Amino acid sequence: MNIFYMHWHLNDLKKRFSTDLPHVYNAAQKAETATEFKQIITEHFHNDTVSRLCDYDGQTVKDFSTEKEVNIQTISLLYSFLRNPTKINPASVDLLTDLYFIFCNTDDKTDKKPITEAKLVQWSKHWVSGLNPAVQQIREENKLRIIKKLVLRLERRHSVNTPYFLPGFWSFEEKQRLVEEWWNNNRFHLHMAIKNPDELNFYLDNTLSEETMHILRDAKKKGIPFFITPYYLSLLDIAGKNYDDASLRSYILYTRELVDTFGEIKAWEKEDEVEPGKANAAGWLLPEGQNIHRRYPEVAIFIPDSGGRACGGLCASCQRMYDFQSQRLNFNLKELRPKESWPLKLKKLMTYFEEDTQLRDILITGGDALMSRNATLRNIFEAIYKMALQKKHANEFRAEGDKYAEIQRIRLGTRLLAYLPMRVDEELISILKEFREKASKIGIKQFIVQTHFQTPLEMTKEAREAIKRIISAGWIITNQLVFNVASSRRGHTVALRKVLINNGVVPYYTFSVKGFHENYAVYAPIARSMQERYEEKVYGKLNQEEQETFIRILYNNIPYIKEVNNFLQKNKRMFIATDRSVLNLPGIGKSMTFNLAGITPEGKRILCFDHDTTRKHSPAIKNIGKVYITENKSILAYLKQLEQLGEDMKSYQSIWEYTEGTTESKFKLYEYPEYPFQQTKRINHIDIDS
């Protein structure tokens, strides 16, 4: 297949249009105006995408993410180019290449077809997991190298007022053995986390390039936090030849765009911008402070005033970078310990849930829920239990049709299973098990640890053990993947789903990266997400009967890992795809229902999104309507990134065809249980007019 288009110039494109698309080329020569040109090609090409591009041409829409007006001139620019290429900016190659393939695909009336299963297996085998014996051996060597460097660092300490002190009279070997013991303690990794670029390079044997170091030093000056555990650093291949660790590096190495933008980053989810006494973008009235985030009627995010406002590391594409910028989330672990006023505030926040007519789902996150200490988590669980019980009792005095939603689902949002699996200690498991057994008796039915593995390489022996422990406590573990450039490569998500489900983690969401400029380097276009969904992910889809069988396995077996693998074997499944591919709209919800409205002169697609119709929304959605978003990168620019990463461009040829999409149905596991009573339809804690 001809892939010279990767490096076409304007003259090449003119030849391609005149040779391969004579109807388009001749229409431009015949038409005296862009309006006439649009009429001719609309009549010739009976294609929804072409018709939309013509209809939108000349319109101005408001980009919901940037709040800027965007004038769409997609077809007019094509007309101008075909009439007189010399007047077109060379930067428009990306736009014209996209249009060339859109017109080339207009005659394809068939449904999108998956690649062969054999090819999918071939691609997925390229992405080895951290459980691979060869990878494990390299990581043991990495661990030893880092431990020796930790000894050198600790030797410089002279104060004994620290839990991690090495006596000066000890031999190096004795010190090394002690640090090896400390390695299994999560507090040690937090204490020794890498917090500046030069320290990071030191632990990586000075293998970072001068360009990378320049960016990282600028990041430090700009105030972007660094926080990387020694454990996570041991996952990287500093030799650069043993396995592809680009997905790991994309999480700890900052980009020039992020550094340049930091300080001016805005909240992508506009409903996260909260002013005291005012409704958020979704219309919800919330308690003062930044403890509760809400966009949907049935679920709210709960962020405690604790170590849970930190993480085990700062992900370079973090959706809450806005909060790290404002220091509402940070890495001052001592300062983040709950203050004396926290118990009173916690009680007040629980009152909000208790008095709300619709809330039934609490997602405890941050930051990271498991960055809170065990005692703090125990207190939060106890407060939730009391609130849920009181809400249940209050319902006994309400009539049918007036009863409030009762709490059914509790979730913990954490990335520590990948960043710091040592955190999952016996005390935590005891707390999780105790809460589940107690809360189950009052009607709470779903207990979920919502984690975030980005690559199969993060599934290590330590991570696997942490997963087993949590599942043994009766909690289900689900995963949210961020679909960035490195993780979007062919077969990568399939390999990740496979290693996750083999070890008891159920895929939940595959998120497209937020489209702000700071994420330019890691952004994968929506078209690639759709391509992965229809051509790769499709092999892991379960029918209704299989879904019900799978869910029974999860709920009726503690632990369920062995039974899940038996299910896969019996149904001849390499993996299962229980996740939905979505974008967090900068309005009030997730969706992947969209169509192409236009393309900017630089080749960035302008997408028109509608909200997910499969779930309940705030009534404020009626005031929002369609949501327009301009992607921050052209498809051609994305493909060039993949080419630099060593990908075969022939494998991505069909990406240009994906110009529309619909949000997938929710996997049955993620649906709320039915109530044995009639719930009120009344919504409170809301101010739609504002």
Side-chain angles (χ1 to χ4, degrees), residues 28 57 82 87 166 235 270 310 382 398 400 414 482 488 503 616 661:
D57 194 78
L82 294 176
K87 291 186 177 181
L166 298 176
L235 309 187
K270 298 185 185 303
E382 183 61 22
R398 296 187 181 114
E400 286 294 316
T414 180
V482 175
S488 71
N503 290 280
K616 292 182 180 179

Side-chain angles (χ1 to χ4, degrees), residues 371-643:
M371 285 293 286
S372 292
R373 291 173 177 262
N374 287 333
T376 302
L377 280 174
R378 190 188 296 275
N379 291 336
I380 292 171
F381 281 149
E382 183 61 22
I384 290 174
Y385 174 81
K386 289 179 179 178
M387 175 272 295
L389 183 60
Q390 289 168 192
K391 196 170 192 182
K392 185 179 182 70
H393 283 165
N395 258 353
E396 295 175 3
F397 302 96
R398 296 187 181 114
E400 286 294 316
D402 289 329
K403 295 182 185 293
Y404 288 11
E406 295 177 5
I407 303 300
Q408 293 181 317
R409 179 186 294 169
I410 304 297
R411 290 182 283 166
L412 293 174
T414 180
R415 181 154 157 74
L416 290 195
L417 301 190
Y419 268 149
L420 190 58
M422 299 83 161
R423 168 64 183 95
V424 184
D425 55 25
E426 292 300 327
E427 184 183 11
L428 174 62
I429 297 308
S430 177
I431 292 170
L432 293 176
K433 185 176 182 180
E434 176 186 299
F435 175 71
R436 178 187 174 276
E437 291 174 350
K438 186 177 178 180
S440 296
K441 295 176 182 177
I442 63 168
I444 299 178
K445 299 179 182 299
Q446 298 176 337
F447 303 85
I448 298 171
V449 171
Q450 199 164 283
T451 191
H452 171 29
F453 282 90
Q454 184 67 13
T455 164
L457 291 168
E458 292 174 335
M459 183 61 73
T460 63
K461 291 187 298 182
E462 295 89 342
R464 180 173 61 184
E465 180 59 29
I467 290 166
K468 285 181 179 178
R469 287 181 170 187
I470 291 172
I471 292 173
S472 72
W475 288 60
I476 291 172
I477 305 178
T478 65
N479 191 70
Q480 298 185 145
L481 164 69
V482 175
F483 198 65
N484 66 12
V485 170
S487 68
S488 71
R489 290 174 286 179
R490 282 291 202 180
H492 188 277
T493 47
V494 167
L496 177 61
R497 292 186 189 105
K498 182 179 186 300
V499 75
L500 288 174
I501 200 63
N502 287 160
N503 290 280
V505 180
V506 187
Y508 178 40
Y509 275 131
T510 295
F511 279 116
S512 287
V513 177
K514 310 299 183 296
F516 278 155
H517 181 66
E518 64 262 22
N519 288 332
Y520 178 83
V522 296
Y523 181 82
I526 299 297
R528 172 60 190 129
S529 178
M530 300 301 295
Q531 183 186 44
E532 198 280 333
R533 168 181 164 183
Y534 283 107
E535 299 181 16
E536 301 166 54
K537 177 180 175 180
V538 64
Y539 283 108
K541 287 293 184 180
L542 302 182
N543 60 37
Q544 288 295 108
E545 183 180 348
E546 289 171 330
Q547 285 193 44
E548 290 170 4
T549 301
F550 181 72
I551 292 168
R552 283 197 298 270
I553 289 172
L554 296 180
Y555 280 121
N556 297 336
N557 297 276
I558 299 177
Y560 54 70
I561 298 174
K562 181 180 178 181
E563 286 75 11
V564 164
N565 281 285
N566 289 340
F567 172 85
L568 292 171
Q569 187 174 5
K570 179 181 178 181
N571 291 278
K572 298 180 181 179
R573 300 275 185 174
M574 178 174 69
F575 68 101
I576 61 171
T578 54
D579 54 307
R580 293 206 293 173
S581 300
V582 294
L583 173 70
N584 251 334
L585 297 182
I588 53 172
K590 305 172 182 68
S591 180
M592 198 55 89
T593 299
F594 74 95
N595 53 52
L596 178 64
I599 309 172
T600 71
E602 303 80 27
K604 302 172 184 178
R605 288 186 170 188
I606 304 164
L607 306 177
C608 175
F609 279 87
D610 208 343
H611 289 85
D612 176 11
T613 58
T614 68
R615 69 180 305 165
K616 292 182 180 179
H617 287 277
S618 161
I621 197 172
K622 296 175 183 177
N623 300 330
I624 293 178
K626 305 286 187 181
V627 174
Y628 293 92
I629 296 175
T630 305
E631 296 193 274
N632 73 11
K633 180 186 297 172
S634 70
I635 290 179
L636 187 60
Y638 165 72
L639 292 176
K640 287 179 179 179
Q641 282 184 285
L642 294 183
E643 186 180 46

Side-chain angles (χ1 to χ4, degrees), residues 204-252:
L204 294 176
D205 266 8
N206 297 309
T207 55
L208 296 178
S209 68
E210 279 300 317
E211 180 184 2
T212 298
M213 288 302 297
H214 183 62
I215 293 172
L216 296 181
R217 286 172 182 142
D218 284 351
K220 185 68 176 177
K221 293 176 186 175
K222 219 38 181 329
I224 303 179
F226 282 79
F227 198 88
I228 309 158
T229 62
Y231 165 80
Y232 199 75
L233 274 192
S234 74
L235 309 187
L236 272 65
D237 173 33
I238 63 170
K241 60 182 180 180
N242 297 302
Y243 50 85
D244 189 317
D245 66 359
S247 291
L248 298 168
R249 290 175 181 264
S250 68
Y251 262 53
I252 64 172

Side-chain angles (χ1 to χ4, degrees), residues 153-166:
R153 179 177 167 188
L154 288 166
E155 281 182 330
R156 297 197 294 269
R157 293 187 172 182
H158 302 293
S159 172
V160 296
N161 295 322
T162 171
Y164 308 110
F165 176 75
L166 298 176

